[in-house]
Amino acid sequence: MNHRIHIPRIASLLLLLAMFANAQQKPFPVTSTVDEPTIAGRPVQLDAQGKLLPWPMPDNIGYSYSSHFLTQWTILWDQYNRQRLPYYYCCFDFDRTTFELFPDPHWVNSTAYLRAMMEGFLEHLYAYSGDQRTLTFLESFVDYELENGLTPEGYAWSQVPYASANPGARHYSGWSQLGEDYIEPPIVGEDGYAYLRLYELTGNIKYLRAAIRCADALVKNYHIGDEAHSPWPVRCYARDGKLESNPAMGPYSANVIEPIMLFDELIRLKQGDVADYMQVRSGAWDWFQKYPLANNVWVGYFEDTPPTMANMNQVIPLEFARYVLLHPEKDPQWREHARKLIEWVKTTNKWPKYIVHGATVTTEQGNGIEFCCNLPNQCCDSHTARLAAVEALYYAKTGDIAYRDMAFRSYNWVTYFQGLSRDAHAPFSTQWWFTDQFADGPRRLMDGFWAVPEWAPSDESHLLGSSSIVTKISYRKNSVTYSTFDPDSSDVLRLDFTPEFVMANGSPLTRRDNLDAAGFTFDDKSHVLRIRHDGARDISIEGAGGNAPPLYVTFDDPHLAAGTPLDGPYPSGIIDWNPGQWRIHVPEGAFGTFNLALADPKTESAQFRFYSPRVFVGVDAYNGGQSDATVTIQSPEIREQSFTIKPGEVRRIRTSWRDPSTGVIFDLKNGEGLRFDNLAYLPE
């Protein structure tokens, strides 16, 4: 992650350290109220008590939350297809008129962080969507690192990932402003765990081997820690593990939880040198309990800051809290520890926090004088999403409704940052970070659906969370079938249909009042389905009352520049657009990605046709005009339906058509400000 304490870019480490020593920010209150009328440039939506509601659809949590991470994925996939970069810059910016993206060639490329976080996001997105493109993207992403970002054989830290790279570098060996040929051991654990999860997801043994190499290097270089020295340094030279006299290297990082997670999973799978893993894991756990967990010295995470015992961050304590909430068997004091760390992050005087219409917003790091980041309604969505995720999981585990409500408001604030907005950006410039906005933040927002499945869309079927990796999944009308890596798993879904049969390896599971044994529970009101299966990997759910999941035209894939007229096929073989009626439009209003607009805003009718008859399911419509707009939709085969969209409103239009049509006609009244996105249809 590319997270600076409040300083500009500099040319050398000495200058960096000097500015750290001399920079003086104005004293800040620990917590302040910032009830501004916009967040990321988007008008706030409030309830009757003046509390923040989600964006862009304040009365639909599922739409607003899911549109956030689906929008971020849309941008990732668009960039993957357009630029075909074998690597990602850490940062990018975009033209505020055309909204075309371009990489920032000047700042450190945080490679290992990004891949680990991206794995966490896409692992969950695949289970949620069944979209095979997520796996294509993820494997390509990780494979490049395995080929271009590992330390040489024979090093003390051999064949493990470098944590960063010089700006634009195609091969990774660290960031030259901090030194040459160095690694960050805690991130070896973080990236190794991501490799291991990808092995479970794909079955590809090369990812398992990569994970074992990371674990073996952590074992080889483990040292018993003390108050000033952690079991592994925050940063050291890869060749010999030394720190030498370079102040950018450092002996201390509180971040041992991610190496522990890697050891835990390899031990569970009985892979690698399990005896050594158990011994080192035990030592690291004991050190963690004795020092950071007792003295709250949460330092040593980010890849672009000098090591210091003063600069605290919220990532390490919150990720530990998340870990014990998901694995309470690892820590007898999980409840006390999780709650203590949530409250520490919200009350520490090391960096400012903000209350925005009842939503708690946290920045990321600071030492009580210097801090990161920008103004509260311009950045830090990923870190606030992490806080909300841990609060939501705490509620799921304890039933404490206060934590659910706090998570809800913070998540609502996060939703205002989806897609591309002219008024949201990372600190100190207009740039954005792939790590935060397109990997770390979305993965933690998806935790919210797992913890509180009632927040997920009610008119769709999705697998929201599982104690196991989901290796295969398919969504059909009144049906969800999936497979898990582990035969024993607990899974959470929200369905748009009522299940009649829930099968595990072909045998029926029993509906129960609880999951003290294998079976399932189903809430008839919320349609939340919880399944426990023991000794069975293949799950099939069949029922009645739902809809077939549609396919979407997003107007981002394939990419066309803003203003491009749609004339003929787009996407190829799907839709034929009538010449002179439609054009591609920039992200605007309720849509954070490219969308569809009328070529002539004053037109009263526009249409398109399918290359072969399809069922037109509907479209998302946003009214950026000043008056109510009416859209009347019809086809040559099906009678018309009318929908009214108020000024500033986004509405998911659904036709309920059951029969295929050759074309679709939009008749419009006051349609000057209308924009459309996510055109939905059923496959043949």
Side-chain angles (χ1 to χ4, degrees):
M1 299 166 129
N2 305 280
H3 311 77
R4 313 164 225 352
I5 301 300
H6 204 88
I7 55 173
R9 294 192 181 109
I10 40 82
S12 70
L13 178 62
L14 291 177
L15 180 57
L16 176 68
L17 295 172
M19 293 192 70
F20 260 66
N22 296 326
Q24 292 292 321
Q25 292 181 330
K26 295 180 180 179
F28 58 82
V30 174
T31 304
S32 55
T33 299
V34 190
D35 288 342
E36 295 183 356
T38 62
I39 298 170
R42 289 157 172 162
V44 300
Q45 303 279 356
L46 306 176
D47 64 15
Q49 288 73 46
K51 301 294 187 180
L52 191 64
L53 292 171
W55 187 89
M57 197 180 290
D59 59 351
N60 192 321
I61 302 168
Y63 180 96
S64 296
Y65 285 17
S66 63
S67 68
H68 185 286
F69 56 75
L70 291 174
T71 292
Q72 308 311 81
W73 160 246
T74 295
I75 294 171
L76 283 173
W77 183 250
D78 171 40
Q79 287 303 104
Y80 172 79
N81 281 291
R82 274 202 281 161
Q83 296 194 28
R84 287 293 180 185
L85 295 176
Y87 56 90
Y88 270 82
Y89 292 79
C90 85
C91 315
F92 71 92
D93 203 349
F94 60 91
D95 184 282
R96 282 349 191 231
T97 300
T98 65
F99 282 77
E100 293 296 323
L101 273 65
F102 50 86
D104 178 350
H106 303 296
W107 196 255
V108 55
N109 183 8
S110 39
T111 56
Y113 292 85
L114 179 54
R115 275 144 192 84
M117 292 172 180
M118 193 70 74
E119 191 285 327
F121 173 32
L122 297 184
E123 164 195 322
H124 288 91
L125 185 59
Y126 171 67
Y128 181 89
S129 66
D131 189 342
Q132 290 288 332
R133 299 176 304 167
T134 59
L135 304 185
T136 299
F137 178 97
L138 183 58
E139 289 194 79
S140 174
F141 210 40
V142 173
D143 287 351
Y144 188 85
E145 179 179 87
L146 293 177
E147 295 168 5
N148 296 276
L150 300 186
T151 59
E153 292 186 31
Y155 272 24
W157 290 89
S158 174
Q159 291 287 278
V160 299
Y162 289 104
S164 55
N166 283 316
R170 293 178 178 268
H171 301 280
Y172 313 151
S173 61
W175 183 34
S176 60
Q177 288 199 82
L178 296 181
E180 296 291 344
D181 199 25
Y182 66 85
I183 55 103
E184 297 183 10
I187 307 308
V188 171
E190 183 174 2
D191 224 23
Y193 182 71
Y195 294 150
L196 190 53
R197 300 289 285 186
L198 187 53
Y199 156 69
E200 295 177 9
L201 182 59
T202 65
N204 193 326
I205 201 73
K206 71 179 176 182
Y207 303 127
L208 173 61
R209 294 192 185 108
I212 290 173
R213 289 197 299 268
C214 291
D216 289 348
L218 288 163
V219 167
K220 178 181 178 180
N221 293 281
Y222 169 78
H223 299 282
I224 297 174
D226 57 31
E227 190 171 9
H229 300 80
S230 50
W232 301 279
V234 63
R235 195 177 294 127
C236 66
Y237 287 105
R239 182 186 299 274
D240 53 18
K242 293 182 178 179
L243 309 180
E244 294 185 353
S245 58
N246 185 346
M249 308 297 117
Y252 186 95
S253 170
N255 185 23
V256 299
I257 189 58
E258 276 150 332
I260 285 172
M261 290 166 62
L262 172 59
F263 289 138
D264 281 349
E265 192 67 356
L266 286 169
I267 292 166
R268 188 180 75 85
L269 298 179
K270 297 180 174 61
Q271 296 287 343
D273 194 336
V274 171
D276 279 353
Y277 300 162
M278 293 176 67
Q279 182 177 359
V280 171
R281 191 263 187 211
S282 177
W285 178 264
D286 290 345
W287 176 87
F288 184 84
Q289 299 280 315
K290 184 176 181 179
Y291 294 107
L293 201 55
N295 61 22
N296 284 326
V297 179
W298 302 109
V299 304
Y301 185 80
F302 298 112
E303 86 288 359
D304 56 359
T305 57
T308 168
M309 297 296 281
N311 183 46
M312 305 288 182
N313 70 80
Q314 48 74 34
V315 180
I316 304 171
L318 288 181
E319 288 298 316
F320 172 76
R322 180 182 184 275
Y323 166 78
V324 296
L325 287 168
L326 293 177
H327 302 282
E329 73 281 1
K330 303 292 185 182
D331 182 6
Q333 296 178 273
W334 63 267
R335 183 193 298 261
E336 174 189 345
H337 288 155
R339 183 166 186 156
K340 166 191 167 185
L341 293 177
I342 292 169
E343 297 310 313
W344 182 84
V345 166
K346 294 171 73 169
T347 60
T348 181
N349 62 2
K350 297 300 181 179
W351 64 81
K353 273 75 60 179
Y354 307 96
I355 306 298
V356 182
H357 302 289
T360 299
V361 176
T362 182
T363 49
E364 66 178 30
Q365 60 176 311
N367 60 18
I369 302 173
E370 297 91 11
F371 65 88
C372 179
C373 297
N374 228 331
L375 297 177
N377 292 315
Q378 295 179 350
C379 77
C380 299
D381 45 305
S382 68
H383 302 294
T384 300
R386 176 178 292 104
L387 173 62
V390 176
E391 290 181 323
L393 290 167
Y394 187 88
Y395 155 73
K397 196 66 183 174
T398 67
D400 191 329
I401 294 175
Y403 282 85
R404 181 198 65 187
D405 295 345
M406 290 185 286
F408 174 63
R409 299 301 177 184
S410 293
Y411 272 142
N412 290 348
W413 182 87
V414 169
T415 61
Y416 287 76
F417 287 80
Q418 62 186 270
L420 301 177
S421 169
R422 290 184 175 91
D423 298 305
H425 49 77
F428 322 123
S429 72
T430 58
Q431 68 184 4
W432 293 57
W433 295 328
F434 278 110
T435 44
D436 293 59
Q437 278 74 36
F438 298 94
D440 189 26
R443 67 173 178 164
R444 293 296 166 250
L445 181 56
M446 295 198 79
D447 279 344
F449 283 174
W450 190 4
V452 190
E454 294 82 4
W455 288 345
S458 61
D459 56 350
E460 302 169 0
S461 292
H462 296 286
L463 194 154
L464 307 175
S466 173
S467 60
S468 174
I469 288 280
V470 175
T471 60
K472 182 172 61 177
I473 192 163
S474 175
Y475 295 98
R476 299 184 300 276
K477 183 177 181 179
N478 299 321
S479 171
V480 182
T481 58
Y482 64 94
S483 300
T484 56
F485 175 79
D486 295 299
D488 300 347
S489 179
S490 296
D491 315 323
V492 181
L493 302 94
R494 194 176 195 191
L495 306 177
D496 74 340
F497 62 91
T498 300
E500 296 173 344
F501 302 98
V502 180
M503 314 286 284
N505 279 11
S507 298
L509 292 174
T510 301
R511 184 170 180 173
R512 302 170 53 89
D513 294 329
N514 57 60
L515 294 182
D516 292 341
F520 72 92
T521 65
F522 181 71
D523 186 300
D524 294 292
K525 183 178 180 180
S526 67
H527 276 221
V528 173
L529 174 68
R530 299 178 186 272
I531 300 173
R532 173 179 167 180
H533 50 102
D534 299 342
R537 288 187 169 89
D538 299 323
I539 307 301
S540 176
I541 307 160
E542 305 288 342
N547 298 303
L551 301 175
Y552 291 94
V553 177
T554 65
F555 306 102
D556 295 274
D557 181 21
H559 176 77
L560 296 175
T564 301
L566 288 179
D567 182 356
Y570 179 89
S572 179
I574 305 297
I575 295 178
D576 185 30
W577 297 89
N578 281 27
Q581 295 188 348
W582 305 96
R583 62 184 173 88
I584 297 293
H585 191 69
V586 297
E588 185 180 76
F591 299 136
T593 58
F594 288 85
N595 51 81
L596 179 68
L598 298 165
D600 178 1
K602 295 183 178 180
T603 191
E604 295 182 352
S605 184
Q607 58 186 296
F608 62 85
R609 71 177 183 87
F610 292 111
Y611 272 92
S612 59
R614 308 286 180 103
V615 175
F616 175 63
V617 174
V619 70
D620 296 351
Y622 166 71
N623 182 7
Q626 302 299 311
S627 305
D628 286 0
T630 301
V631 181
T632 300
I633 300 175
Q634 59 181 304
S635 82
E637 299 87 357
I638 303 173
R639 64 186 180 88
E640 65 184 35
Q641 291 178 287
S642 293
F643 306 88
T644 299
I645 302 102
K646 297 178 181 179
E649 179 186 15
V650 60
R651 181 171 180 181
R652 172 151 283 185
I653 292 173
R654 287 295 178 259
T655 65
S656 300
W657 291 357
R658 298 183 180 276
D659 299 319
S661 57
T662 56
V664 179
I665 302 166
F666 285 26
D667 293 324
L668 308 164
K669 181 180 179 182
N670 297 329
E672 293 89 346
L674 287 176
R675 306 287 183 265
F676 303 94
D677 204 355
N678 301 316
L679 189 153
Y681 65 94
L682 296 184
E684 295 179 275

